Coordinates of all heavy atoms in Angstrom, one line a residue:
G1 N 0.8 -1.1 0.0 CA 0.0 0.0 -0.1 C 0.9 1.2 0.0 O 2.0 1.2 0.1
K2 N 0.2 2.4 -0.1 CA 0.9 3.7 -0.1 C 1.2 4.1 1.3 O 0.4 4.0 2.2 CB 0.1 4.7 -0.8 CG -0.2 4.4 -2.3 CD -1.1 5.6 -2.9 CE -1.1 5.2 -4.4 NZ -1.9 6.3 -5.1
A3 N 2.3 4.7 1.5 CA 2.7 5.2 2.8 C 1.9 6.4 3.2 O 1.6 7.3 2.3 CB 4.2 5.6 2.8
E4 N 1.7 6.6 4.4 CA 0.8 7.8 4.9 C 1.8 8.7 5.6 O 2.8 8.2 6.1 CB -0.3 7.2 5.9 CG -1.3 6.4 5.3 CD -2.2 7.2 4.3 OE1 -2.4 8.3 4.5 OE2 -2.6 6.6 3.3
V5 N 1.6 9.9 5.4 CA 2.5 11.0 6.0 C 1.6 12.0 6.8 O 0.5 12.2 6.4 CB 3.4 11.7 4.9 CG1 4.3 10.6 4.3 CG2 2.5 12.4 3.8
D6 N 2.4 12.7 7.7 CA 1.7 13.8 8.4 C 2.7 15.0 8.0 O 3.9 14.9 8.0 CB 1.8 13.6 9.9 CG 0.9 12.5 10.4 OD1 -0.3 12.4 9.8 OD2 1.3 11.8 11.3
V7 N 2.0 16.1 7.6 CA 2.7 17.3 7.4 C 2.5 18.4 8.2 O 1.4 18.4 8.9 CB 2.4 17.8 5.9 CG1 2.8 16.8 4.8 CG2 0.9 18.1 5.7
S8 N 3.5 19.2 8.5 CA 3.3 20.4 9.5 C 4.3 21.6 9.0 O 5.2 21.3 8.1 CB 3.7 20.0 10.8 OG 4.9 19.4 10.9
A9 N 4.0 22.6 9.5 CA 4.9 23.8 9.3 C 5.1 24.6 10.6 O 4.3 24.5 11.5 CB 4.3 24.9 8.3
Y10 N 6.4 25.1 10.7 CA 6.8 25.7 11.9 C 7.4 27.1 11.6 O 8.3 27.2 10.7 CB 7.9 24.8 12.8 CG 7.4 23.5 13.0 CD1 7.6 22.5 12.2 CD2 6.7 23.2 14.2 CE1 7.2 21.2 12.3 CE2 6.3 21.9 14.5 CZ 6.5 21.0 13.4 OH 6.0 19.7 13.8
L11 N 7.0 28.0 12.4 CA 7.5 29.4 12.3 C 8.6 29.5 13.3 O 8.5 29.5 14.4 CB 6.4 30.5 12.6 CG 5.1 30.4 11.8 CD1 4.2 31.4 12.2 CD2 5.4 30.5 10.4
L12 N 9.9 29.8 12.6 CA 11.1 29.9 13.5 C 11.7 31.2 13.6 O 11.5 32.1 12.6 CB 12.1 28.9 12.8 CG 11.7 27.4 12.6 CD1 12.8 26.7 12.0 CD2 11.2 26.8 13.9
T13 N 12.1 31.5 14.8 CA 12.8 32.9 15.0 C 14.2 32.8 14.6 O 14.8 31.7 14.1 CB 12.7 33.2 16.5 OG1 13.5 32.2 17.3 CG2 11.3 33.3 17.0
A14 N 15.1 33.8 14.8 CA 16.4 33.9 14.4 C 17.2 32.7 15.2 O 18.2 32.3 14.9 CB 17.0 35.2 14.7
A15 N 16.6 32.4 16.5 CA 17.3 31.4 17.3 C 16.9 30.0 16.8 O 17.2 29.0 17.5 CB 16.8 31.6 18.8
R16 N 16.2 30.0 15.7 CA 15.7 28.6 15.2 C 14.7 27.9 16.1 O 14.9 26.7 16.3 CB 16.9 27.7 14.8 CG 17.9 28.4 13.8 CD 17.2 28.8 12.6 NE 18.2 29.2 11.5 CZ 18.4 30.4 11.2 NH1 17.8 31.4 11.8 NH2 19.3 30.7 10.2
K17 N 13.9 28.6 16.8 CA 13.0 28.1 17.8 C 11.6 28.5 17.4 O 11.3 29.6 16.9 CB 13.3 28.5 19.2 CG 14.7 27.9 19.6 CD 14.8 28.1 21.1 CE 16.3 27.6 21.4 NZ 16.3 26.4 22.1
V18 N 10.6 27.6 17.8 CA 9.2 28.0 17.6 C 8.8 28.7 19.0 O 9.0 28.2 20.1 CB 8.4 26.8 17.5 CG1 6.9 27.0 17.5 CG2 8.7 26.1 16.1
E19 N 8.1 29.7 18.9 CA 7.6 30.5 20.0 C 6.1 30.0 20.5 O 5.2 30.7 20.2 CB 7.6 32.0 19.9 CG 9.0 32.5 19.8 CD 9.0 34.0 19.8 OE1 8.1 34.7 19.6 OE2 10.2 34.5 20.2
G20 N 6.0 28.8 20.9 CA 4.7 28.2 21.4 C 3.8 27.7 20.3 O 4.2 27.5 19.1
D21 N 2.6 27.3 20.8 CA 1.7 26.7 19.8 C 1.3 27.6 18.6 O 0.9 27.0 17.6 CB 0.3 26.4 20.6 CG 0.6 25.2 21.6 OD1 1.6 24.5 21.5 OD2 -0.3 25.0 22.4
A22 N 1.4 28.9 18.8 CA 0.9 29.8 17.7 C 1.9 29.8 16.6 O 1.6 30.4 15.5 CB 0.7 31.2 18.3
G23 N 3.0 29.1 16.8 CA 4.0 29.0 15.6 C 4.0 27.7 15.0 O 4.9 27.3 14.2
M24 N 2.9 26.9 15.0 CA 2.9 25.6 14.4 C 1.5 25.5 13.7 O 0.5 25.9 14.1 CB 2.9 24.5 15.5 CG 4.2 24.5 16.2 SD 4.3 23.2 17.4 CE 3.3 23.9 18.8
V25 N 1.6 24.8 12.5 CA 0.4 24.5 11.7 C 0.5 22.9 11.4 O 1.5 22.5 10.9 CB 0.3 25.2 10.4 CG1 -0.8 24.8 9.5 CG2 0.1 26.7 10.6
F26 N -0.6 22.2 11.7 CA -0.6 20.7 11.6 C -2.1 20.3 11.6 O -3.0 21.2 11.6 CB 0.2 20.0 12.7 CG -0.2 20.3 14.0 CD1 -1.0 19.6 14.8 CD2 0.1 21.6 14.6 CE1 -1.5 19.8 16.0 CE2 -0.2 21.9 15.9 CZ -1.1 21.0 16.6
Y27 N -2.3 18.9 11.4 CA -3.7 18.5 11.3 C -4.6 18.9 12.4 O -5.8 19.2 12.2 CB -3.7 17.0 11.2 CG -3.3 16.3 12.6 CD1 -4.4 16.0 13.4 CD2 -2.0 16.2 12.9 CE1 -4.1 15.3 14.6 CE2 -1.7 15.5 14.2 CZ -2.7 15.2 15.0 OH -2.4 14.6 16.2
G28 N -4.1 19.2 13.6 CA -5.0 19.7 14.7 C -5.1 21.2 14.8 O -5.9 21.7 15.7
Q29 N -4.4 21.9 14.3 CA -4.2 23.4 14.3 C -3.9 23.8 12.9 O -2.8 23.9 12.5 CB -3.3 23.9 15.2 CG -3.2 25.4 15.3 CD -2.3 25.9 16.4 OE1 -2.6 25.7 17.6 NE2 -1.1 26.4 16.1
R30 N -5.0 24.1 12.1 CA -4.9 24.3 10.6 C -4.4 25.7 10.2 O -4.3 26.0 9.0 CB -6.1 23.8 9.9 CG -6.4 22.4 10.1 CD -7.6 21.9 9.3 NE -7.8 20.6 9.4 CZ -7.1 19.5 8.9 NH1 -6.3 19.9 8.0 NH2 -7.6 18.3 9.1
S31 N -4.3 26.6 11.2 CA -3.9 28.0 10.9 C -3.1 28.6 12.0 O -3.3 28.1 13.1 CB -5.1 28.9 10.4 OG -6.0 28.9 11.6
V32 N -2.3 29.7 11.7 CA -1.7 30.4 12.7 C -2.5 31.6 13.0 O -2.8 32.4 12.2 CB -0.2 30.8 12.3 CG1 0.4 31.7 13.2 CG2 0.6 29.5 12.1
P33 N -2.9 31.9 14.3 CA -3.7 33.0 14.6 C -2.9 34.3 14.3 O -1.7 34.5 14.7 CB -3.9 32.9 16.2 CG -3.6 31.5 16.5 CD -2.6 31.0 15.4
G34 N -3.6 35.3 13.7 CA -2.9 36.6 13.3 C -1.9 36.5 12.2 O -1.4 37.6 11.8
A35 N -1.8 35.4 11.4 CA -0.9 35.4 10.3 C -1.6 34.5 9.2 O -2.5 33.7 9.6 CB 0.4 34.7 10.7
N36 N -1.4 34.7 8.1 CA -2.1 34.0 6.9 C -1.1 32.8 6.7 O -0.4 32.9 5.5 CB -2.3 35.0 5.7 CG -3.2 34.3 4.7 OD1 -3.6 33.1 4.9 ND2 -3.5 35.0 3.7
L37 N -1.2 31.8 7.5 CA -0.5 30.6 7.2 C -1.4 29.5 7.6 O -1.8 29.3 8.7 CB 0.7 30.4 8.0 CG 1.5 29.1 8.0 CD1 1.9 28.6 6.6 CD2 2.6 29.1 8.9
S38 N -1.9 28.8 6.7 CA -3.0 27.7 6.8 C -2.5 26.4 6.0 O -1.7 26.5 5.0 CB -4.3 28.3 6.2 OG -4.7 29.4 6.9
I39 N -3.2 25.3 6.4 CA -2.9 24.1 5.8 C -4.3 23.6 5.3 O -5.3 23.6 6.1 CB -2.2 23.1 6.6 CG1 -2.0 21.8 5.7 CG2 -2.9 22.6 7.8 CD1 -1.1 20.7 6.4
Y40 N -4.4 23.2 4.1 CA -5.6 22.5 3.5 C -5.2 21.0 3.2 O -4.3 20.8 2.4 CB -6.1 23.2 2.3 CG -6.4 24.6 2.7 CD1 -5.4 25.6 2.4 CD2 -7.7 24.9 3.2 CE1 -5.7 26.9 2.6 CE2 -7.9 26.3 3.6 CZ -6.9 27.3 3.2 OH -7.2 28.6 3.6
Q41 N -6.0 20.1 3.7 CA -5.7 18.6 3.4 C -6.8 17.9 2.9 O -7.9 18.1 3.4 CB -5.1 18.0 4.7 CG -3.8 18.4 5.1 CD -3.4 17.7 6.4 OE1 -3.9 17.9 7.5 NE2 -2.5 16.7 6.3
E42 N -6.6 17.1 1.8 CA -7.7 16.3 1.3 C -7.1 14.9 0.9 O -6.1 14.9 0.1 CB -8.3 16.8 0.0 CG -9.2 18.1 0.4 CD -9.8 18.6 -0.9 OE1 -10.0 17.8 -1.9 OE2 -10.3 19.7 -0.9
Q43 N -7.5 13.8 1.5 CA -7.0 12.5 1.2 C -5.5 12.5 1.2 O -4.9 12.6 2.2 CB -7.6 12.0 -0.1 CG -9.1 11.8 0.1 CD -9.7 11.2 -1.3 OE1 -9.1 11.2 -2.3 NE2 -10.9 10.7 -1.1
R44 N -4.9 12.4 0.0 CA -3.4 12.3 0.0 C -2.7 13.5 -0.6 O -1.6 13.5 -1.1 CB -3.2 11.1 -1.0 CG -3.6 9.7 -0.4 CD -3.1 8.6 -1.2 NE -1.6 8.5 -1.3 CZ -0.9 8.1 -0.4 NH1 -1.3 7.7 0.8 NH2 0.5 8.0 -0.6
A45 N -3.3 14.7 -0.2 CA -2.7 15.9 -0.7 C -2.8 16.9 0.4 O -3.7 17.0 1.3 CB -3.3 16.4 -1.9
A46 N -1.7 17.8 0.5 CA -1.8 18.9 1.6 C -1.1 20.2 0.8 O -0.2 20.0 0.1 CB -0.9 18.5 2.6
V47 N -1.9 21.2 1.1 CA -1.4 22.6 0.5 C -1.3 23.6 1.7 O -2.2 23.7 2.4 CB -2.5 23.1 -0.6 CG1 -2.0 24.4 -1.1 CG2 -2.6 22.1 -1.6
F48 N -0.2 24.2 1.7 CA 0.0 25.3 2.6 C -0.2 26.6 1.9 O 0.3 26.8 0.8 CB 1.4 25.4 3.2 CG 1.7 24.2 4.1 CD1 2.3 23.0 3.7 CD2 1.4 24.3 5.5 CE1 2.5 22.0 4.6 CE2 1.7 23.4 6.4 CZ 2.3 22.2 6.0
E49 N -1.0 27.4 2.5 CA -1.2 28.9 2.0 C -0.5 29.8 2.9 O -0.8 29.8 4.1 CB -2.7 29.1 2.0 CG -3.0 30.5 1.4 CD -4.6 30.7 1.3 OE1 -5.2 30.2 0.3 OE2 -5.0 31.4 2.3
I50 N 0.4 30.7 2.4 CA 1.2 31.5 3.2 C 1.3 32.9 2.5 O 1.4 33.2 1.3 CB 2.7 31.1 3.1 CG1 2.8 29.7 3.6 CG2 3.6 32.0 4.0 CD1 4.1 29.0 3.3
N51 N 1.0 33.9 3.5 CA 1.1 35.4 3.0 C 2.2 35.9 3.9 O 2.0 36.2 5.0 CB -0.1 36.1 3.2 CG 0.0 37.5 2.8 OD1 1.0 38.1 2.6 ND2 -1.1 38.2 2.7
P52 N 3.5 36.0 3.4 CA 4.6 36.4 4.2 C 4.4 37.8 4.9 O 4.9 38.1 6.0 CB 5.8 36.4 3.2 CG 5.4 35.5 2.2 CD 4.0 35.6 2.1
A53 N 3.7 38.7 4.3 CA 3.4 40.1 4.8 C 2.6 40.0 6.2 O 2.7 41.0 6.9 CB 2.7 40.9 3.8
T54 N 2.0 38.9 6.4 CA 1.2 38.8 7.6 C 1.9 38.1 8.8 O 1.4 38.0 9.9 CB -0.2 38.2 7.4 OG1 0.0 36.9 6.9 CG2 -0.9 39.0 6.3
L55 N 3.1 37.5 8.6 CA 3.7 36.7 9.5 C 4.3 37.7 10.6 O 4.6 38.8 10.2 CB 4.9 35.9 8.8 CG 4.4 34.9 7.9 CD1 5.6 34.2 7.2 CD2 3.6 33.9 8.6
P56 N 4.4 37.2 11.9 CA 5.1 38.1 12.9 C 6.5 38.5 12.4 O 7.3 37.7 11.8 CB 5.1 37.2 14.0 CG 4.1 36.1 13.8 CD 4.0 36.0 12.3
A57 N 6.8 39.7 12.9 CA 8.2 40.2 12.4 C 9.3 39.4 12.9 O 10.3 39.4 12.2 CB 8.3 41.7 13.0
N58 N 9.2 38.6 14.0 CA 10.3 37.9 14.5 C 10.5 36.5 13.7 O 11.4 35.8 14.1 CB 10.2 37.6 16.0 CG 9.1 36.8 16.3 OD1 8.0 36.7 15.6 ND2 9.1 36.2 17.4
V59 N 9.6 36.1 12.9 CA 9.8 34.9 12.1 C 10.8 35.1 11.0 O 10.6 36.0 10.0 CB 8.4 34.4 11.6 CG1 8.6 33.3 10.6 CG2 7.5 34.2 12.7
E60 N 11.8 34.2 10.9 CA 12.8 34.4 9.9 C 12.8 33.1 8.9 O 13.2 33.2 7.8 CB 14.2 34.4 10.5 CG 14.4 35.8 11.2 CD 15.8 36.1 11.5 OE1 16.7 35.3 11.0 OE2 16.1 37.0 12.1
I61 N 12.2 32.1 9.4 CA 12.2 30.8 8.6 C 10.8 30.1 8.9 O 10.4 30.0 9.9 CB 13.2 29.8 9.0 CG1 14.6 30.5 8.8 CG2 13.2 28.5 8.4 CD1 15.8 29.7 9.3
I62 N 10.3 29.5 7.8 CA 9.2 28.6 7.9 C 9.7 27.2 7.5 O 10.2 27.0 6.4 CB 8.0 29.0 6.9 CG1 7.5 30.3 7.1 CG2 6.9 27.9 7.0 CD1 6.6 30.9 6.2
A63 N 9.7 26.3 8.5 CA 10.2 24.9 8.3 C 9.0 24.1 8.1 O 8.1 24.1 8.8 CB 11.1 24.5 9.5
F64 N 9.1 23.2 7.0 CA 8.1 22.3 6.7 C 8.6 20.9 7.1 O 9.7 20.6 6.9 CB 7.7 22.3 5.2 CG 7.2 23.6 4.8 CD1 8.1 24.6 4.3 CD2 5.8 23.9 4.9 CE1 7.5 25.9 3.9 CE2 5.3 25.1 4.6 CZ 6.1 26.1 4.1
C65 N 7.7 20.1 7.6 CA 8.1 18.8 8.1 C 7.1 17.7 7.4 O 5.9 17.9 7.5 CB 8.0 18.7 9.6 SG 8.4 17.1 10.3
V66 N 7.7 16.6 7.0 CA 7.0 15.5 6.5 C 7.4 14.3 7.3 O 8.5 14.0 7.3 CB 7.2 15.2 4.9 CG1 6.4 14.0 4.6 CG2 6.8 16.4 4.2
A67 N 6.4 13.8 8.0 CA 6.8 12.7 8.9 C 6.0 11.4 8.4 O 4.8 11.4 8.2 CB 6.4 12.9 10.5
L68 N 6.7 10.3 8.3 CA 6.2 9.0 7.8 C 5.4 8.4 9.0 O 5.9 8.2 10.1 CB 7.3 8.1 7.3 CG 6.9 6.9 6.7 CD1 6.0 7.2 5.4 CD2 8.2 6.1 6.3
D69 N 4.1 8.0 8.7 CA 3.3 7.4 9.7 C 3.4 5.8 9.5 O 3.0 5.3 8.5 CB 1.8 7.7 9.5 CG 0.9 7.0 10.5 OD1 1.4 6.3 11.3 OD2 -0.3 7.3 10.5
T70 N 4.2 5.2 10.4 CA 4.4 3.8 10.4 C 3.5 2.9 11.4 O 3.9 1.8 11.7 CB 5.9 3.5 10.7 OG1 6.4 4.0 11.8 CG2 6.7 4.2 9.5
T71 N 2.5 3.6 11.9 CA 1.8 2.9 13.0 C 1.1 1.7 12.5 O 0.9 0.6 13.1 CB 0.8 3.7 13.6 OG1 -0.1 4.3 12.6 CG2 1.4 4.9 14.3
Q72 N 0.7 1.6 11.1 CA 0.1 0.5 10.5 C 1.0 -0.5 9.9 O 0.7 -1.7 9.8 CB -1.0 0.9 9.6 CG -2.1 1.8 10.1 CD -2.9 1.1 11.2 OE1 -3.3 -0.1 10.9 NE2 -3.2 1.8 12.2
D73 N 2.1 0.0 9.4 CA 3.1 -0.7 8.6 C 4.5 -0.3 8.8 O 4.9 0.7 8.3 CB 2.7 -0.8 7.2 CG 3.6 -1.7 6.3 OD1 4.6 -2.2 6.9 OD2 3.5 -1.8 5.2
T74 N 5.2 -0.9 9.8 CA 6.5 -0.4 10.1 C 7.6 -0.6 9.0 O 8.7 -0.1 9.1 CB 7.1 -1.1 11.4 OG1 7.1 -2.6 11.2 CG2 6.2 -0.7 12.6
S75 N 7.2 -1.2 7.9 CA 8.2 -1.5 6.8 C 8.2 -0.2 5.9 O 8.9 -0.3 4.9 CB 8.0 -2.7 6.1 OG 6.7 -2.7 5.4
Q76 N 7.2 0.6 6.0 CA 7.1 1.8 5.0 C 8.3 2.6 5.1 O 9.0 2.8 6.1 CB 5.8 2.6 5.4 CG 4.5 1.9 5.2 CD 4.2 1.7 3.7 OE1 4.8 2.2 2.8 NE2 3.1 1.0 3.5
R77 N 8.7 3.2 3.9 CA 9.8 4.2 3.7 C 9.2 5.5 3.1 O 8.3 5.4 2.4 CB 10.8 3.6 2.9 CG 11.4 2.2 3.4 CD 12.3 1.5 2.3 NE 11.5 1.3 1.1 CZ 11.8 1.5 -0.1 NH1 13.1 2.0 -0.3 NH2 11.1 1.3 -1.2
L78 N 9.9 6.5 3.2 CA 9.6 7.8 2.5 C 9.5 7.5 1.0 O 8.6 8.1 0.3 CB 10.6 8.9 2.8 CG 10.4 9.6 4.1 CD1 11.4 10.6 4.3 CD2 8.9 10.2 4.3
A79 N 10.3 6.6 0.5 CA 10.2 6.4 -1.0 C 8.9 5.7 -1.4 O 8.5 5.8 -2.6 CB 11.4 5.4 -1.4
D80 N 8.1 5.2 -0.4 CA 6.9 4.5 -0.7 C 5.7 5.5 -0.8 O 4.5 5.1 -1.0 CB 6.4 3.5 0.4 CG 7.5 2.4 0.5 OD1 8.1 2.0 -0.6 OD2 7.8 1.9 1.7
I81 N 5.9 6.8 -0.6 CA 4.8 7.8 -0.5 C 4.0 7.8 -1.8 O 2.9 7.7 -1.8 CB 5.3 9.2 -0.2 CG1 5.8 9.3 1.2 CG2 4.2 10.2 -0.5 CD1 6.5 10.5 1.5
G82 N 4.7 7.7 -3.0 CA 4.0 7.8 -4.2 C 3.6 6.5 -4.9 O 3.1 6.5 -5.9
S83 N 4.1 5.4 -4.2 CA 3.9 4.1 -4.9 C 2.7 3.4 -4.3 O 2.1 3.7 -3.5 CB 5.1 3.3 -4.7 OG 5.4 3.1 -3.3

């Protein structure tokens, strides 16, 4: 079967740290309060919508993460995402 993944985005400061929950976008928190950073997910696709002009001034980097979900099949690999 196809590998399942979880995607997220993190707003990082110059210190390369997230300043709390408001700096994360993921399946349980689909947007960042006060900034136009949102995630839209449908079945096997995820799209991040970003408006850099609305991000907090202390944000220097947006880090995106793709984590492989191996809870159902521990033999899955990132290479299996599209197969």
